[in-house]
Amino acid sequence: MATRGHSSCSSMSNHTKERVNMAMVTLENFYCNLIDQHEEREMRQQKLEMVMEEEGLPDEEKRIRRSQHARKETEFLRLKRTRLGLDDFESLKVIGRGAFGEVRLVQKKDTGHIYAMKILRKADMLEKEQVGHIRAERDILVQADSLWVVKMFYSFQDKINLYLLMEFLPGGDMMTLLMKKDTLSEEETQFYVAETVLAIDSIHQMGFIHRDIKPDNVLLDSKGHVKLSDFGLCTGLKKAHRTEFYRNLNHSISNDFTSQYMNSKRKAETWKRNRRQLAFSTVGTPDYIAPEVFMQTGYNKLCDWWSLGVIMYEMLIGYPPFCSETPQETYKKVMNWKETLVFPPEVPISERAKDLILRFCCEGDHRIGATGVEEIKRNLFFEGVDYDHIRERPAAIPIEIKSIDDTSNFDEFPESDILSPTVYPVTINYKADYKNKDWVFINYTYKRFEGLTARGAIPSYMKGSKR
């Protein structure tokens, strides 16, 4: 019987196998959603009870609160059944653009709330084998409920695009801040690195490795505090998310390039000239990636601490330590970091700062953080940092926000036709090639409880801090 069963399975056509996979994914997602919804509802109820106990409310007030909460839960179930689409949002401005899509500032028409809408083209995701990455990002943003992670409120799709509706952080990102400031003081660097330590640790505590920690993905909220974004390369949640993203990078490295010496001034000029272009390209930059990730011999969450060390170097020196004219040359420098990680004498920094950078950027076995995040927090560079209240205190560099839709901390981008329903990728016959593959995006739709039940009032995180 087993032999006949195996023979029957092996003789199935590819079409049949794909239909089987589609059915399996649909069923798995259906029941996983039921379980997740029940657990989330239980957690919201427990959180309500905990808050009421902490506030010491009388029984009558508790009864009123429970009744209000129950009505919210009922409203949430009703609203979850409504279809969400582009027509529910007004596009205000393009605030970011990348290789696979763009980010727009949008306003939800019925509530007036402002969001950052990340738009990804399905055809590009399929062609570039990015499905695992965007699935990982969506799933992680659903699970992550942290002050240190950008909050996602909705996700949905249509025939052409995928949409992620996230909180709009008007402070921009760390890349923009560094390009404006050139370098940061050690006091400013201490603040941003300390907050990023807590942000990375929050990801690790959820069982994830970010793998793409870089200034572009360190966002700043309306008060100038750090939040992590862009979890497309994050790993650790599900096997389906683990795409071998770096598997071909070493094959693209040219063997005949020549290493060019550049002084610190030339490095800074080269970095400023190329940085923005690299951020928006499919190539990206390997400047922040730990060598063990490239080597494919195995890595763990410590690779994120290497990336933070590179960012810290860039904050103090003005460019990352492995900055080069080309990604290939940068890759070579990262792999030979013992010789190439040097500190230019014309940009002096403290011995404490140097020591911490070298503790971040070293062999994985000896890297700071190997015994836990407390090892990092105790480092002398962070002397005087109050980790428990750091988000409650003023940021090192104040953010000027004039309104809830202030985009002054973002680059200017021309309008595009990505939202036009009649536009298809020129190089790909989307209808013919990808229509039958659309099932891989099953269960992409999501609605967060806070997003659907907070009607009328503008959430506090969306309110600009006028100073």
Side-chain angles (χ1 to χ4, degrees):
M1 290 295 291
T3 304
R4 285 200 299 272
H6 175 75
S7 175
S8 174
C9 180
S10 61
S11 63
M12 280 196 303
S13 67
N14 288 335
H15 174 73
T16 302
K17 289 178 181 178
E18 189 167 20
R19 301 295 292 181
V20 169
N21 285 335
M22 179 179 176
M24 182 176 66
V25 170
T26 302
L27 289 171
E28 284 180 352
N29 282 315
F30 176 77
Y31 287 107
C32 283
N33 279 341
L34 286 181
I35 295 170
D36 289 344
Q37 288 170 20
H38 174 74
E39 290 177 349
E40 289 170 4
R41 184 164 184 152
E42 289 292 313
M43 287 180 61
R44 289 193 291 268
Q45 186 66 42
Q46 291 171 12
K47 186 176 180 179
L48 173 67
E49 296 296 333
M50 190 185 309
V51 168
M52 291 193 299
E53 284 299 321
E54 290 174 354
E55 294 179 0
L57 299 179
D59 290 343
E60 180 59 21
E61 182 63 27
K62 286 182 180 180
R63 186 190 66 77
I64 295 172
R65 289 272 190 98
R66 291 188 187 108
S67 178
Q68 292 172 340
H69 180 77
R71 284 197 296 272
K72 271 193 172 185
E73 290 285 1
T74 301
E75 175 77 349
F76 179 56
L77 290 175
R78 183 184 68 80
L79 292 170
K80 277 194 76 172
R81 292 192 290 270
T82 61
R83 183 178 292 275
L84 200 64
L86 275 179
D87 291 341
D88 296 296
F89 299 90
E90 179 183 356
S91 178
L92 303 178
K93 188 177 183 181
V94 179
I95 58 174
R97 184 161 287 141
F100 304 113
E102 65 185 31
V103 180
R104 287 177 176 251
L105 186 72
V106 300
Q107 186 168 32
K108 198 162 186 288
K109 293 177 180 177
D110 62 344
T111 64
H113 292 176
I114 298 294
Y115 299 99
M117 175 189 279
K118 186 173 183 177
I119 308 161
L120 299 167
R121 292 181 291 265
K122 284 184 177 180
D124 287 346
M125 299 295 100
L126 289 162
E127 184 189 25
K128 304 295 184 182
E129 298 183 337
Q130 298 290 306
V131 174
H133 297 159
I134 58 98
R135 171 65 67 179
E137 178 171 37
R138 179 264 182 207
D139 290 351
I140 288 163
L141 288 172
V142 166
Q143 290 208 11
D145 189 11
S146 166
L147 287 172
W148 299 106
V149 175
V150 61
K151 188 181 289 291
M152 183 182 77
F153 288 96
Y154 312 104
S155 62
F156 59 91
Q157 60 178 298
D158 56 28
K159 291 180 179 179
I160 310 301
N161 299 318
L162 302 171
Y163 305 90
L164 295 168
L165 275 296
M166 295 176 286
E167 61 178 315
F168 170 56
L169 300 180
D173 60 37
M174 185 58 64
M175 180 180 73
T176 303
L177 182 66
L178 290 176
M179 292 183 75
K180 286 179 181 176
K181 295 286 185 178
D182 291 334
T183 59
L184 303 183
S185 68
E186 293 209 4
E187 183 181 1
E188 292 167 342
T189 299
Q190 182 199 62
F191 170 81
Y192 291 114
V193 174
E195 287 213 333
T196 309
V197 165
L198 297 178
I200 293 173
D201 181 55
S202 74
I203 295 296
H204 291 172
Q205 286 185 33
M206 289 186 280
F208 308 143
I209 307 171
H210 193 287
R211 295 201 303 174
D212 199 23
I213 299 293
K214 56 185 179 181
D216 324 36
N217 296 335
V218 178
L219 305 187
L220 302 174
D221 66 15
S222 62
K223 295 182 179 178
H225 292 278
V226 161
K227 289 199 178 195
L228 292 182
S229 73
D230 205 340
F231 296 87
L233 296 186
C234 203
T235 187
L237 185 65
K238 296 178 182 177
K239 187 176 180 181
H241 298 159
R242 300 178 188 179
T243 306
E244 294 299 322
F245 184 75
Y246 304 104
R247 64 180 178 268
N248 293 321
L249 182 56
N250 57 340
H251 298 305
S252 67
I253 304 302
S254 171
N255 292 322
D256 59 358
F257 58 75
T258 56
S259 179
Q260 297 179 337
Y261 170 76
M262 295 192 292
N263 60 29
S264 60
K265 182 179 180 182
R266 184 179 168 192
K267 284 183 179 179
E269 290 172 350
T270 299
W271 184 245
K272 286 181 183 178
R273 185 173 64 250
N274 296 336
R275 185 63 179 95
R276 185 69 67 183
Q277 183 178 351
L278 286 168
F280 301 147
S281 71
T282 54
V283 176
T285 171
D287 279 272
Y288 307 95
I289 299 172
E292 65 264 26
V293 176
F294 287 128
M295 292 170 66
Q296 304 173 50
T297 54
Y299 58 88
N300 54 29
K301 65 184 180 181
L302 297 178
C303 69
D304 287 340
W305 299 130
W306 169 285
S307 303
L308 182 56
V310 176
I311 293 174
M312 180 177 171
Y313 183 107
E314 182 179 353
M315 288 176 173
L316 294 169
I317 305 299
Y319 51 85
F322 311 110
C323 170
S324 302
E325 295 278 4
T326 67
Q328 289 79 12
E329 180 72 11
T330 297
Y331 168 84
K332 182 184 177 184
K333 286 186 177 182
V334 171
M335 299 308 293
N336 294 285
W337 61 269
K338 290 181 181 179
E339 288 75 37
T340 57
L341 180 52
V342 295
F343 296 91
E346 59 269 31
V347 189
I349 63 173
S350 71
E351 290 302 315
R352 285 186 177 186
K354 285 183 183 178
D355 175 72
L356 180 55
I357 291 170
L358 293 173
R359 295 294 310 283
F360 279 134
C361 299
C362 64
E363 295 96 341
D365 293 343
H366 303 109
R367 196 169 298 158
I368 191 169
T371 62
V373 71
E374 292 301 322
E375 180 186 11
I376 301 175
K377 292 161 71 172
R378 289 195 303 267
N379 187 272
L380 288 175
F381 182 76
F382 297 118
E383 187 176 16
V385 172
D386 181 1
Y387 292 99
D388 293 333
H389 303 96
I390 193 168
R391 282 199 81 95
E392 301 163 18
R393 299 186 175 177
I397 300 175
I399 301 293
E400 295 293 333
I401 304 298
K402 296 175 181 151
S403 63
I404 61 171
D405 57 355
D406 186 352
T407 58
S408 58
N409 293 304
F410 293 82
D411 286 342
E412 293 291 327
F413 295 91
E415 277 295 322
S416 72
D417 54 11
I418 193 171
L419 296 180
S420 173
T422 59
V423 174
Y424 290 89
V426 176
T427 59
I428 301 168
N429 187 334
Y430 180 84
K431 288 184 177 178
D433 294 343
Y434 293 116
K435 183 178 179 181
N436 293 329
K437 297 180 182 178
D438 209 49
W439 67 268
V440 300
F441 301 110
I442 283 174
N443 195 39
Y444 197 77
T445 299
Y446 173 75
K447 300 181 181 76
R448 188 175 289 275
F449 180 80
E450 297 95 321
L452 286 183
T453 57
R455 305 175 71 83
I458 301 295
S460 59
Y461 75 85
M462 292 182 180
K463 294 176 181 176
S465 53
K466 297 179 182 179
R467 304 182 182 202

